[in-house]
Amino acid sequence: MECIFCQIIVGTMPSAKIYEDERLYVFHNLYPEAPVHILVIPKKHISSLLTFEVEDAELLGHMFHIGNSIATEQLGLEGYKAVINTGEQGGQEVFHLHVHIMGGAPLSMPKTV
C-alpha cells in the first residue's frame, strides 16, 4: 500500500486521530499551517477531485458536514478555512482526496484579479 493516507486509515502509519466512522477518518495535520489544522479524508481511495465520480457526491457532503461539526463543536472554532488542493498545479501533495480545515487565528486568502 503506497498511499500514506490509506496507511493511516488502516493503522500502519501513526496519526493523531480525532474522529472515525465507516466512511471517514479525521486527524491533526502533522505539518500544521494554522493553530488548528485537521485533515478530513474518505476511507475510499479517491485520488483527487479530478477523479471524483458523481456517485461520490454524498461522500463529499459528509466530509464537509463532519469537518464542520468537529471544527465548531469539538475544536471550538468560530470560523475556519476549508481547502481542497486538486492536482499538482493546485498544490496537492498527497494524492488521496482530503479537506484541510484550518483555523484558530485570522487566515487570509491570496488576492486574485
Side-chain angles (χ1 to χ4, degrees):
M1 185 179 314
E2 214 171 289
C3 174
I4 190 167
F5 286 173
C6 288
Q7 292 174 25
I8 288 171
I9 290 165
V10 299
T12 58
M13 179 74 68
S15 70
K17 180 172 74 170
I18 300 170
Y19 174 88
E20 181 177 14
D21 66 23
E22 66 281 350
R23 297 181 287 170
L24 300 180
Y25 191 94
V26 182
F27 59 101
H28 289 280
N29 192 327
L30 189 57
Y31 304 104
E33 296 179 20
V36 174
H37 188 167
I38 65 173
L39 298 174
V40 180
I41 62 175
K43 289 184 174 181
K44 176 181 179 182
H45 183 89
I46 302 169
S47 295
S48 76
L49 285 179
L50 294 172
T51 60
F52 190 78
E53 300 290 338
V54 70
E55 61 266 10
D56 296 318
E58 194 276 328
L59 176 60
L60 188 60
H62 184 58
M63 291 172 69
F64 279 105
H65 174 74
I66 293 299
N68 181 65
S69 293
I70 291 169
T72 58
E73 296 169 18
Q74 187 173 337
L75 301 174
L77 298 179
E78 295 180 8
Y80 58 88
K81 185 189 303 186
V83 176
I84 299 177
N85 298 324
T86 305
E88 284 186 43
Q89 291 185 6
Q92 187 174 2
E93 295 177 5
V94 177
F95 287 85
H96 184 123
L97 179 66
H98 57 286
V99 178
H100 295 260
I101 305 283
M102 297 172 279
L107 301 171
S108 62
M109 289 292 294
K111 301 289 185 216
T112 58
V113 178

